[in-house]
């Protein structure tokens, strides 16, 4: 097992961002997705982002090449072999996640830790399809993953403290701040955030204020950097 290899399953918005964050922090990353189109889009997104940084002077060509040299792509699940950490970032559907964990569990090294980027699903249920529930946990990154500093660290029923602490250490190593939370629907951020967004939609539906008015009120009245309706659009409403 390579102590510097990370495998990220899923080359969508979150998987792409997590792979970037890990490669930028110095890890050798393989981003795995069964869909070639997703991989090609992921490659193009990273190239465009880094080229823009170079143009603005916030990244050198040498640094760009160094990071991209640590970031590879694959359509083969077998490439999880050798990784000390596998991060699952597939769609937020329990059956898809369980199927992914089952495949990874069969192929990954015995000591490999597997984490899910779920925003609210049961870690214990996901872990139940593996033969290593003690090495399964949640690591909820936020969008955009290369920028946002928080990772919610979630232990399942069978996750020992040792695994929890290891994920906290890895989180810090990629420039994130880990917050340990118990397994519960929505964890912390989404449990608070989604009701707020829903209430903002309700306020608009009741005709209390305009979209711009609601967002401005929360930005200036609650010191939020973004209004709840704009945030709802950003996260996919």
């Amino acid at each position: 097992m390579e102590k510097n290899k990370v495998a990220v399953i899923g080359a969508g918005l979150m998987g792409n961002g997590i792979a970037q964050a890990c490669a930028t922090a110095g890890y050798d990353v393989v981003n795995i997705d069964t869909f070639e189109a997703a991989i090609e889009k992921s490659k193009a997104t990273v190239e465009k982002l880094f080229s823009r940084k170079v143009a603005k002077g916030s990244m050198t060509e040498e640094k760009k090449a160094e990071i991209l040299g640590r970031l590879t792509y694959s359509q083969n699940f077998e490439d999880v072999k050798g990784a000390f950490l596998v991060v699952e970032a597939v769609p937020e559907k329990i059956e898809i996640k369980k199927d992914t964990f089952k495949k990874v569990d069969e192929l990954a090294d015995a000591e490999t830790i597997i984490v899910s980027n779920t925003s609210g699903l049961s870690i214990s249920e996901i872990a139940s399809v593996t033969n290593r529930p003690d090495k399964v946990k949640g690591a909820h990154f936020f969008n955009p993953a290369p920028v946002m500093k928080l990772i919610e660290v979630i232990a399942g029923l069978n996750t020992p403290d040792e695994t929890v602490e290891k994920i906290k250490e890895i989180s810090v190593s990629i420039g994130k701040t880990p917050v340990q939370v118990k397994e519960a629907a929505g964890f912390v951020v989404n449990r608070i955030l989604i009701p707020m967004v829903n209430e903002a939609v309700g306020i608009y539906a009741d005709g209390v204020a305009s979209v711009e008015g609601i967002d401005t009120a929360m930005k200036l009245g609650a010191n939020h950097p973004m209004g709840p309706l704009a945030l709802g659009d950003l996260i996919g409403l």
Side-chain angles (χ1 to χ4, degrees):
M1 185 170 65
E2 300 173 37
K3 296 295 186 181
N4 204 52
K5 180 180 177 180
V6 175
V8 179
I9 310 295
L13 181 66
M14 291 307 299
N16 174 291
I18 293 167
Q20 283 183 55
C22 291
T24 300
Y27 290 104
D28 297 320
V29 182
V30 56
N31 195 186
I32 300 171
D33 199 299
T34 55
F35 294 99
E36 183 178 0
I39 288 176
E40 293 305 316
K41 183 177 180 181
S42 183
K43 288 180 181 178
T45 298
V46 177
E47 175 66 34
K48 183 178 180 180
L49 174 65
F50 284 8
S51 293
R52 190 182 302 131
K53 288 186 175 184
V54 170
K56 290 181 178 180
S58 59
M59 177 182 285
T60 64
E61 283 285 359
E62 292 75 16
K63 188 65 175 178
K64 172 186 171 183
E66 177 190 332
I67 297 172
L68 292 181
R70 291 194 290 266
L71 183 55
T72 59
Y73 298 85
S74 173
Q75 290 180 260
N76 192 342
F77 266 76
E78 290 194 2
D79 285 324
V80 300
K81 292 178 179 178
F84 80 96
L85 174 70
V86 176
V87 183
E88 166 272 306
V90 302
E92 190 74 351
K93 295 187 177 182
I94 191 68
E95 293 307 322
I96 296 177
K97 290 187 182 291
K98 287 165 73 173
D99 182 59
T100 300
F101 267 75
K102 188 174 181 179
K103 289 178 181 177
V104 172
D105 181 52
E106 292 170 352
L107 294 167
D109 296 356
E111 295 303 311
T112 299
I113 295 173
I114 316 173
V115 300
S116 175
N117 184 51
T118 180
S119 59
L121 297 176
S122 169
I123 300 302
S124 297
E125 183 175 354
I126 293 170
S128 70
V129 300
T130 75
N131 293 310
R132 63 181 88 196
D134 59 317
K135 291 183 172 58
V136 173
K137 71 179 302 37
H140 181 207
F141 290 74
F142 289 78
N143 181 41
V147 177
M148 298 294 279
K149 295 296 186 183
L150 176 65
I151 295 180
E152 288 181 322
V153 177
I154 311 102
L157 292 175
N158 297 299
T159 310
D161 291 342
E162 178 184 357
T163 303
V164 173
E165 292 305 316
K166 182 63 177 176
I167 297 304
K168 287 182 180 179
E169 291 173 11
I170 296 169
S171 299
V172 172
S173 76
I174 58 176
K176 307 301 182 185
T177 299
V179 172
Q180 184 174 344
V181 305
K182 291 185 177 180
E183 189 173 32
F187 308 136
V188 172
V189 173
N190 282 336
R191 185 165 175 174
I192 296 171
L193 184 65
I194 299 306
M196 182 186 74
V197 173
N198 288 343
E199 188 63 24
V201 172
I203 290 170
Y204 174 67
D206 289 343
V208 176
S210 67
V211 169
E212 295 77 11
I214 292 167
D215 281 351
T216 298
M218 290 304 293
K219 286 193 290 184
L220 300 183
N223 203 29
H224 290 185
M226 178 183 292
L229 295 175
L231 180 60
D233 286 340
L234 178 65
I235 62 178
L237 293 184

